[in-house]
């Protein structure tokens, strides 16, 4: 059995890592905005990667919603991927 202090340190580390991962997932999807703007001005990008990101985000959001105890960091981190990935995909066509 772990000492209480070690359990607390692991819990704190997990908390901060999950928050950073959520933030960077959102930033990853927000980085599509320049590509969307380029697509709208006629400089078309490859639609395959944003389509995969859309499907990936949808699967992770589904996972977070299906769990008995909703996994809100996973849901929040991947919702922008569905919207922005889909918009990027559609504008790249």
């Amino acid at each position: 059995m772990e000492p209480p202090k070690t359990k607390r340190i692991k819990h704190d580390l997990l908390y901060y890592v999950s928050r950073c991962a959520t933030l960077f997932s959102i930033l990853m999807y927000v980085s599509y905005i320049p590509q969307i703007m380029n697509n709208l001005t006629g400089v078309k990008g490859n639609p395959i990667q944003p389509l995969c990101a859309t499907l990936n985000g949808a699967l992770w959001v589904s996972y977070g919603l299906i769990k008995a105890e909703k996994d809100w960091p996973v849901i929040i981190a991947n919702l922008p991927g569905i919207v922005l990935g889909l918009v990027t995909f559609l504008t790249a066509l």
Side-chain angles (χ1 to χ4, degrees), residues 66-81:
I66 291 170
K67 284 183 69 173
E69 187 175 327
K70 306 272 186 267
D71 196 338
W72 290 108
V74 169
I75 295 166
I76 292 167
N78 288 284
L79 271 174

Side-chain angles (χ1 to χ4, degrees), residues 44-81:
K44 301 292 183 181
N46 185 341
I48 294 172
Q49 197 278 334
L51 177 62
C52 291
T54 301
L55 296 173
N56 180 55
L59 288 169
W60 278 112
V61 168
S62 298
Y63 167 82
L65 291 171
I66 291 170
K67 284 183 69 173
E69 187 175 327
K70 306 272 186 267
D71 196 338
W72 290 108
V74 169
I75 295 166
I76 292 167
N78 288 284
L79 271 174

